[in-house]
Amino acid sequence: MEQIFTVLSGLAIAVAYVPFIKGTIRGSVIPNRASWIVWFIQDGLMAASAVMTGIGPAAVMPMIWGIGAGIMLFISLTRGTREPFTSLEKICLVLSGLGILLWAMTGSPHLALVASVSAACIGGIPTITKAWTKPWTETPTGWVLMIIGTIFSSLAIQKWT
């Protein structure tokens, strides 16, 4: 059953990137570069970690996150806003960077998990703020599919410790 949830998670997440990419290319979605910088680094590290630890087919999900975040980062840098980073974005980038650094430096899986999730959440603050003040610059479909993919990913976990 876990394999089915892994596949469903990967599919939902891969499909979730379609409205983000299409919307950004069309100009209806304006991605927040600060968030996508954090998410690309975070997802890239998770994908590399998954491959290096040899988790097998379950590595597909972090790989999809990493590839999608990489595409979105590129598009956000080439088609997104050209305005300088706001103070909030700078603070979130620094705090996320510290979380990622803590994740990379620690030998504790629990501390690494907390640092990793914290970095990803802090990196999302600029996008949440932008979505709240300018909701027309986001795509609800993409976010709903991301949530569904994350739920499937959680259901794919074989043993919760």
Side-chain angles (χ1 to χ4, degrees):
M1 191 67 169
E2 290 88 7
Q3 291 174 342
I4 292 171
F5 287 129
T6 300
V7 170
L8 290 174
S9 172
L11 286 172
I13 292 166
V15 172
Y17 280 111
V18 173
F20 286 115
I21 293 167
K22 283 175 60 176
T24 304
I25 290 171
R26 287 184 187 153
S28 59
V29 172
I30 303 169
N32 183 283
R33 337 169 255 176
S35 290
W36 286 106
I37 288 169
V38 171
W39 292 333
F40 170 68
I41 293 169
Q42 181 73 22
D43 295 340
L45 287 171
M46 283 193 306
S49 173
V51 169
M52 289 170 58
T53 57
I55 65 170
V60 124
M61 197 271 306
M63 296 281 292
I64 291 170
W65 279 103
I67 292 167
I71 292 168
M72 282 306 301
L73 173 60
F74 176 76
I75 293 172
S76 73
L77 292 173
T78 57
R79 294 192 175 246
T81 180
R82 297 275 188 234
E83 297 173 14
F85 285 118
T86 65
S87 296
L88 174 67
E89 290 169 332
K90 289 175 186 176
I91 291 167
C92 290
L93 283 167
V94 169
L95 290 174
S96 293
L98 290 173
I100 291 168
L101 183 65
L102 183 61
W103 176 37
M105 293 176 55
T106 183
S108 165
H110 293 105
L111 184 57
L113 177 64
V114 169
S116 170
V117 171
S118 298
C121 290
I122 291 168
I125 292 172
T127 292
I128 292 168
T129 303
K130 182 182 73 71
W132 185 262
T133 59
K134 300 174 187 171
W136 60 90
T137 66
E138 288 294 335
T139 172
T141 306
W143 291 115
V144 168
L145 287 167
M146 288 283 187
I147 291 167
I148 291 169
T150 302
I151 291 168
F152 284 143
S153 177
S154 297
L155 293 171
I157 296 172
Q158 294 176 0
K159 181 180 177 186
W160 287 84
T161 57

